[in-house]
Amino acid sequence: MGYITTEQLPAFHQFAYLHEESGLKKSKKASYTKEQLYEAVCNSFYTFSIYDNHQLIAFGRMISDGIYQALICDVMVAPTYQKKRLGKQVIEGIVNKCNERGIESIQLFAVKGKQQFYKKLGFQERDSEAPGMSLVQ
């Protein structure tokens, strides 16, 4: 297919629509507004978007120090475009940016049930000797 990829931020209305449509908003425990979520996206180190005829159909972003640490978040694909390898393309785009910058430590948070998807792309669960932790307030 003739999808268009870009590193440019999507428009607010397109991001908000995809965030809702993909179900990602339901996975967030906090009650952030669409505007707050978009502000978070705007503060990202890197974003990767895929469009079909000017419609945002897949998106992901990276938070990073730009040197050695990166966190991939908010990977989403519109339901009607799932199973077309677009999520893989988003992850590969972000990982390629990490490789360009020499960033070797790439972390991510997976939505429940998506661990196998990320394992197929080379991600591993953290070692029990160095478990990840989080603080959600």
Side-chain angles (χ1 to χ4, degrees):
M1 290 250 148
Y3 302 133
I4 307 259
T5 62
T6 181
E7 299 176 1
Q8 294 181 353
L9 283 171
F12 168 76
H13 70 280
Q14 291 207 351
F15 171 80
Y17 179 78
L18 180 60
H19 197 263
E20 186 77 33
E21 182 183 26
S22 71
L24 191 60
K25 184 169 178 23
K26 293 176 188 169
S27 72
K28 297 216 185 323
K29 294 182 179 174
S31 57
Y32 297 107
T33 66
K34 292 175 186 177
E35 291 78 13
Q36 288 172 315
L37 293 171
Y38 187 69
E39 183 178 350
V41 166
C42 291
N43 290 330
S44 299
F45 182 80
Y46 179 75
T47 63
F48 189 91
S49 302
I50 303 176
Y51 291 85
D52 183 11
N53 198 24
H54 304 289
Q55 176 188 351
L56 181 65
I57 58 170
F59 175 82
R61 70 188 183 107
M62 172 177 57
I63 300 167
S64 178
D65 56 26
I67 305 298
Y68 75 99
Q69 293 280 350
L71 172 66
I72 297 174
C73 20
D74 296 333
V75 175
M76 53 189 147
V77 178
T80 56
Y81 287 88
Q82 291 179 1
K83 307 288 186 205
K84 297 183 183 213
R85 305 176 63 85
L86 297 176
K88 178 182 182 204
Q89 191 174 350
V90 169
I91 294 296
E92 287 174 344
I94 295 171
V95 170
N96 287 341
K97 178 55 86 174
C98 289
N99 292 339
E100 287 174 14
R101 298 291 303 232
I103 299 169
E104 296 177 0
S105 179
I106 306 170
Q107 309 295 316
L108 66 80
F109 292 115
V111 174
K112 185 177 180 180
K114 298 292 184 184
Q115 293 91 331
Q116 285 306 117
F117 167 76
Y118 292 109
K119 283 182 180 181
K120 288 179 186 175
L121 298 176
F123 286 84
Q124 302 171 6
E125 292 185 29
R126 290 189 58 114
D127 187 323
S128 61
E129 297 297 316
M133 301 182 82
S134 62
L135 173 65
V136 179
Q137 301 180 353

